[in-house]
Amino acid sequence: MPESPEKELVLVLGGARSGKSSWALRYAEERHDSCLFLATAEVLDEEMEQRVKLHKESRGSKWKLLEEPLAIAGALETKCTGMDIVLIDCLTIWLSNVLLKIGEERATSYQDRLLSALAQRKQNLIVVANEVGMGIVPQYALGRKFRDFAGMLNQEIAALADKVVFLTAGLPVFLKGNR
């Protein structure tokens, strides 16, 4: 599918607490007026509630919020119109939601629909995802399947992306595209 050349897709990768989200927020705020944060996490416990609260506080007043743990492709197609940029945070949590709630057998169709929505984007997009393939091999089969799904999805989005940025210790390394 052809990309929309006038709309930028940026993939931001890194490990946990690498600075991915902070970098993505700054990048969007410096370049756009109307910003939408598409959150994929669900608040299921007190610890996650605190994380979400801190995350909300880190965003400025120009940010709107859309919480969507599963149907992000549909949200991009119908609920994000009129925004200069949409920041999806975090693709890795979204994939976990899909695998656990929808099932491995249907996960590929969700990924395909997302890839199609990204390729046909109607607005600038930043996708934040964890790089999960640099650690130890997970002990359990579900963990290994998750790592494999995440790695392949990151590769496919990187192929579509105009820019790919890897964060480590808060420092961006541009893997594809320029600053």
Side-chain angles (χ1 to χ4, degrees), residues 90-107:
C90 157
L91 194 68
T92 313
I93 290 175
W94 170 80
L95 179 59
S96 176
N97 293 341
V98 169
L99 287 172
L100 294 173
K101 293 179 180 195
I102 304 301
E104 180 185 339
E105 56 285 338
R106 291 180 50 209

Side-chain angles (χ1 to χ4, degrees), residues 36-43 52-53 56 59 64-72 75 79 89:
L36 177 70
F37 191 91
L38 199 162
T40 62
E42 293 181 286
V43 177
V52 169
K53 181 181 177 216
K56 284 180 181 178
R59 295 192 295 270
K64 293 187 178 177
L65 173 66
L66 174 61
E67 295 175 332
E68 181 50 66
L70 292 171
I72 58 176
K79 297 179 182 176
D89 196 357

Side-chain angles (χ1 to χ4, degrees), residues 1-161:
M1 280 169 258
E3 292 182 39
S4 301
E6 65 280 353
K7 301 298 180 185
E8 180 181 56
L9 172 59
V10 179
L11 175 61
V12 181
L13 297 168
R17 295 288 181 229
S18 63
K20 301 179 300 292
S21 296
S22 296
W23 186 90
L25 286 169
R26 283 191 312 273
Y27 184 88
E29 289 172 349
E30 290 170 0
R31 289 163 177 77
H32 301 283
D33 292 325
S34 62
C35 304
L36 177 70
F37 191 91
L38 199 162
T40 62
E42 293 181 286
V43 177
L44 301 174
D45 59 36
E46 199 172 302
E47 185 266 344
M48 187 56 131
E49 186 175 335
Q50 272 305 107
R51 285 178 180 264
V52 169
K53 181 181 177 216
L54 291 172
H55 221 289
K56 284 180 181 178
E57 291 171 357
S58 72
R59 295 192 295 270
S61 60
K62 69 166 54 176
W63 286 94
K64 293 187 178 177
L65 173 66
L66 174 61
E67 295 175 332
E68 181 50 66
L70 292 171
I72 58 176
L76 287 173
E77 294 162 354
T78 62
K79 297 179 182 176
C80 300
T81 57
M83 302 304 298
D84 292 340
I85 190 157
V86 176
L87 193 163
I88 302 169
D89 196 357
C90 157
L91 194 68
T92 313
I93 290 175
W94 170 80
L95 179 59
S96 176
N97 293 341
V98 169
L99 287 172
L100 294 173
K101 293 179 180 195
I102 304 301
E104 180 185 339
E105 56 285 338
R106 291 180 50 209
T108 301
S109 67
Y110 271 69
Q111 288 183 343
D112 290 346
R113 183 150 181 239
L114 174 62
L115 291 167
S116 178
L118 295 177
Q120 297 174 25
R121 59 194 170 272
K122 298 173 181 137
Q123 62 281 108
N124 295 292
L125 298 170
I126 300 175
V127 178
V128 174
N130 287 40
E131 173 51 65
V132 298
M134 297 176 78
I136 61 171
V137 175
Q139 182 177 359
Y140 299 100
L142 181 59
R144 291 188 297 275
K145 286 178 186 176
F146 171 77
R147 177 208 52 200
D148 294 347
F149 269 99
M152 293 307 298
L153 185 58
N154 286 347
Q155 288 182 50
E156 292 183 67
I157 293 173
L160 288 173

